Amino acid sequence: MATQTHLDRLTELRDKKAEIRLGGGQDKIDKQHAGGKLSARERIDTLLDKNSFQEFSMFAQHRCTYFGMAGKPAPADGVITGVGKIDGRYVHFASQDFTVFGGSAGEIHCDKVVEAMQNSLKTGTPFVFMNDSGGARIQEGIDSLSGYAKVFYANVELSGVVPQISLIMGPCAGGAAYSPALTDFIIQTRQAQMFITGPSVIKQVTGEVVTPEELGGAEAQMHYSGVVHFVADDDEHAVGICKRLLSFLPNNNLEDAPLLPGEYSIGEVPGLNTVIPEDPRSPYDVRDVIKGVVDFADFMEVQETYAENMVVGFGRVAGRSVGIIANQPKVFAGVLDINSSDKAARFIRFCNAFNIPLLTFVDTPGFLPGVSQEQGGIIRHGAKVLFAYSAATVPKVSVILRKAYGGAYVAMCARDLGADRVFAWPTAEIAVMGADGAAEIVFKREIEAAEDRAEARAKFTETYRNTFSTPYVAGSRRMVDDILEPSHTRIAVAQALEVLSAKRELRPAKKHGLMPM
Ligand code: HXC
């Protein structure tokens, strides 16, 4: 055999790389496109800044010899991993290649994912996992399970150190769904499905007939289960959401989110004076308040259609990232219930882990009464909000817009849960309960003895409201720092966040507290 020249070697290398880059072949890539999906490498190109991609372990191969697998090539072993830049900042990532054995995950595939994750950990950079896989590679048997377990373990190691974002862009079934579940945010496309047990297993076990979409489509996993944080129309949209989300986040838990030197103006926002309707029972959209406070009215809502009585998401005030938690009076009057408590608590924990200040807008009549809530464990779930806020050491700024009643007032980051600044609007009603209910109890005898009970009830309700359902009693007790003209809220919040950016709060050392779960 003739000795290879340098040129031969270069040609061989180029050919090998071209072959690997083609994954399972052009026909399978075409099938991917026909299904409205990008290929694994096209997704990476969409994600990263041009020419910033450095690939890891491109030549990796499985070692499986069972079921005809011996010597069967699996380009990049079905997952492309590496590092690159998004808007000039490094991220590590993995992108499963469905054209190679259905993106199934065996020993080496999983090792590659873990290698990329460990590089995230070493360098303090976010990790992005683009999922499109038939799950554990069946031919590799328990080696696949071992591989997945290593991914889960790494997910937990990274948790709270670097942001982890999962994109679900194809099937994500069985135990494989637990890797995304261990990450901070899940973005799912409408083409993808995510479930633990699929429709055929459900039919066998329970007899129920469901479609994959009903079971694990993006809408289902957002609206009913709250597993998903963002629904994307397609792969490009999902990648766009991922990039926008990362723009609000720091690279790791030791850094602050990027401070954007913006062209924003910090001045009065007259529109805020008229957001709250005259009738205290009338609803309004709390997003109108949020948009009046954040820069450029730019608010990135998280879990938009899950537990809609609570609105959470990211914005910036004077260029500084904030995590916003707000009761939504438009949905169930902004009541706190099981799902909204879980939604808020999780979001607060994320922000605290990554040094993102908390900005809370309060308008809630209380916790939702009812047997289903009590039996569902509202005590345990509501306690998560109390725990998350109390444990949070990032700057905490609360703005009480209207109703702030009872335990829900406390839960929404009251002064005594460690809020660094509490502002109230003149419409704020900070009270142990609503004036109607309170008057019924406090003035029960007087109302019963009155000739015109309705008139007496109205009079005593007014008396109670004038005494307690205003921000002035709370102001006199220093539970409120200032009562603001709503139009001044943006200025007050910006000032508070600027000075509080230097906040340091030390707590006693412990292994960890026990957050109610
Ligand atoms: C090996 C797999 C595979 C798998 C798919 N393929 N899943 N190979 N292991 N898990 C292969 C197929 O054989 C096929 O190969 C190619 O990928 C494309 O699959 P299709 O079935 O043709 O595609 P599609 O019709 O789009 O269906 C996709 C699918 C289906 C819904 C994902 O393939 C499927 O149901 N796969 C099995 C899913 C599953 O049961 N996984 C194990 C779950 S257990 P060819 O050569 O024909 O192109 C699990 C446990 C993890 O994940 C536990 C962690 C703790």
Side-chain angles (χ1 to χ4, degrees):
M1 204 168 89
T3 316
Q4 276 189 316
T5 64
H6 284 352
L7 188 60
D8 292 337
R9 286 177 198 272
L10 282 180
T11 309
E12 184 189 42
L13 176 65
R14 286 176 192 145
D15 290 348
K16 277 185 187 292
K17 284 196 165 179
E19 200 180 325
I20 293 171
R21 288 199 182 103
L22 210 52
Q26 192 57 49
D27 53 337
K28 289 202 168 146
I29 293 177
D30 292 344
K31 204 171 160 196
Q32 188 87 344
H33 290 164
K37 304 197 292 183
L38 296 175
S39 73
R41 286 184 187 275
E42 286 164 345
R43 287 170 180 156
I44 294 169
D45 290 344
T46 316
L47 182 73
L48 299 182
D49 298 350
K50 228 175 163 43
N51 299 325
S52 69
F53 174 30
Q54 187 163 41
E55 187 163 348
F56 297 162
S57 301
M58 185 185 198
F59 296 94
Q61 276 296 318
H62 67 84
R63 300 189 288 193
C64 180
T65 53
Y66 300 111
F67 308 108
M69 287 289 283
K72 227 180 191 181
D77 206 32
V79 64
I80 298 139
T81 57
V83 64
K85 284 183 179 175
I86 295 178
D87 297 330
R89 299 161 72 202
Y90 278 116
V91 296
H92 287 82
F93 61 85
S95 177
Q96 289 180 315
D97 186 348
F98 192 79
T99 69
V100 177
F101 295 112
S104 58
E107 176 203 12
I108 302 298
H109 177 118
C110 291
D111 279 355
K112 282 185 67 178
V113 175
V114 171
E115 179 188 45
M117 295 171 84
Q118 293 298 347
N119 272 281
S120 271
L121 202 59
K122 273 195 281 196
T123 56
T125 49
F127 182 68
V128 175
F129 193 175
M130 294 185 269
N131 291 255
D132 188 357
S133 164
R137 188 172 294 159
I138 295 163
Q139 296 88 330
E140 293 198 33
I142 55 168
D143 287 339
S144 303
L145 297 188
S146 158
Y148 256 121
K150 287 178 189 158
V151 175
F152 301 159
Y153 189 87
N155 281 133
V156 176
E157 274 188 297
L158 267 62
S159 184
V161 183
V162 294
Q164 299 182 81
I165 300 177
S166 301
L167 285 77
I168 314 299
M169 301 169 126
C172 183
Y178 282 117
S179 172
L182 292 169
T183 64
D184 301 315
F185 293 101
I186 302 180
I187 303 164
Q188 184 174 342
T189 68
R190 292 185 196 281
Q191 292 73 31
Q193 277 111 40
M194 191 185 185
F195 38 69
I196 296 295
T197 46
S200 54
V201 176
I202 291 181
K203 190 164 173 231
Q204 269 172 24
V205 176
T206 71
E208 281 175 283
V209 177
V210 278
T211 65
E213 288 71 29
E214 282 172 318
L215 192 63
E219 293 291 354
Q221 290 294 15
M222 161 76 89
H223 186 72
Y224 297 110
S225 70
V227 165
V228 159
H229 301 91
F230 300 95
V231 174
D233 293 332
D234 54 25
D235 290 0
E236 274 116 342
H237 187 205
V239 167
I241 292 171
C242 176
K243 289 185 186 185
R244 182 163 179 235
L245 179 58
L246 283 168
S247 78
F248 288 100
L249 312 183
N251 290 330
N252 59 61
N253 64 330
L254 300 178
E255 293 183 13
D256 289 330
L259 181 65
L260 289 203
E263 294 287 306
Y264 47 78
S265 68
I266 296 293
E268 291 187 29
V269 183
L272 289 177
N273 281 343
T274 51
V275 172
I276 301 227
E278 286 292 341
D279 178 355
R281 276 178 296 259
S282 289
Y284 62 95
D285 191 339
V286 78
R287 284 175 283 219
D288 293 336
V289 176
I290 296 169
K291 287 179 183 167
V293 174
V294 296
D295 298 348
F296 310 113
D298 181 20
F299 175 54
M300 182 172 201
E301 190 166 348
V302 175
Q303 292 194 306
E304 198 175 330
T305 64
Y306 177 67
E308 292 173 58
N309 41 331
M310 181 73 79
V311 172
V312 301
F314 297 102
R316 290 185 186 86
V317 179
R320 216 177 284 283
S321 276
V322 283
I324 294 157
I325 303 99
N327 307 117
Q328 173 57 290
K330 218 174 78 155
V331 180
F332 305 134
V335 80
L336 278 180
D337 60 0
I338 290 171
N339 290 349
S340 60
S341 296
D342 281 5
K343 177 177 174 178
R346 180 186 166 103
F347 184 73
I348 294 162
R349 292 291 274 185
F350 174 81
C351 292
N352 188 50
F354 289 102
N355 312 319
I356 299 171
L358 300 170
L359 175 57
T360 305
F361 293 102
V362 188
D363 187 348
T364 177
F367 283 99
L368 180 64
V371 175
S372 69
Q373 287 289 306
E374 294 297 342
Q375 292 187 349
I378 183 63
I379 295 176
R380 178 163 45 88
H381 292 276
K384 294 180 196 183
V385 185
L386 291 158
F387 193 106
Y389 269 127
S390 301
T393 54
V394 289
K396 296 187 277 196
V397 176
S398 301
V399 184
I400 302 171
L401 308 174
R402 192 168 65 173
K403 298 183 180 75
Y405 294 164
Y409 149 68
V410 175
M412 291 302 290
C413 205
R415 152 67 21 95
D416 299 295
L417 283 198
D420 300 292
R421 294 284 187 284
V422 181
F423 301 118
W425 285 8
T427 39
E429 298 176 29
I430 304 157
V432 72
M433 63 195 294
D436 305 20
E440 287 281 0
I441 296 166
V442 178
F443 301 106
K444 184 171 176 237
R445 281 195 197 86
E446 288 85 340
I447 292 171
E448 273 171 8
E451 261 179 42
D452 186 337
R453 286 188 185 181
E455 189 195 338
R457 191 173 289 118
K459 188 185 92 188
F460 287 120
T461 299
E462 200 53 27
T463 307
Y464 190 88
R465 181 171 289 126
N466 290 340
T467 312
F468 271 118
S469 307
T470 74
Y472 297 103
V473 176
S476 75
R477 302 286 195 280
R478 296 186 299 112
M479 290 150 126
V480 162
D481 291 298
D482 199 3
I483 300 160
L484 297 176
E485 285 189 32
S487 60
H488 293 173
T489 308
R490 181 164 154 78
I491 303 171
V493 169
Q495 279 179 339
L497 289 175
E498 186 175 23
V499 64
L500 288 166
S501 66
K503 179 184 173 187
R504 291 289 176 268
E505 189 180 319
L506 296 177
R507 301 279 176 104
K510 54 181 156 181
K511 191 165 181 188
H512 60 71
L514 190 61
M515 175 140 177
M517 287 196 267

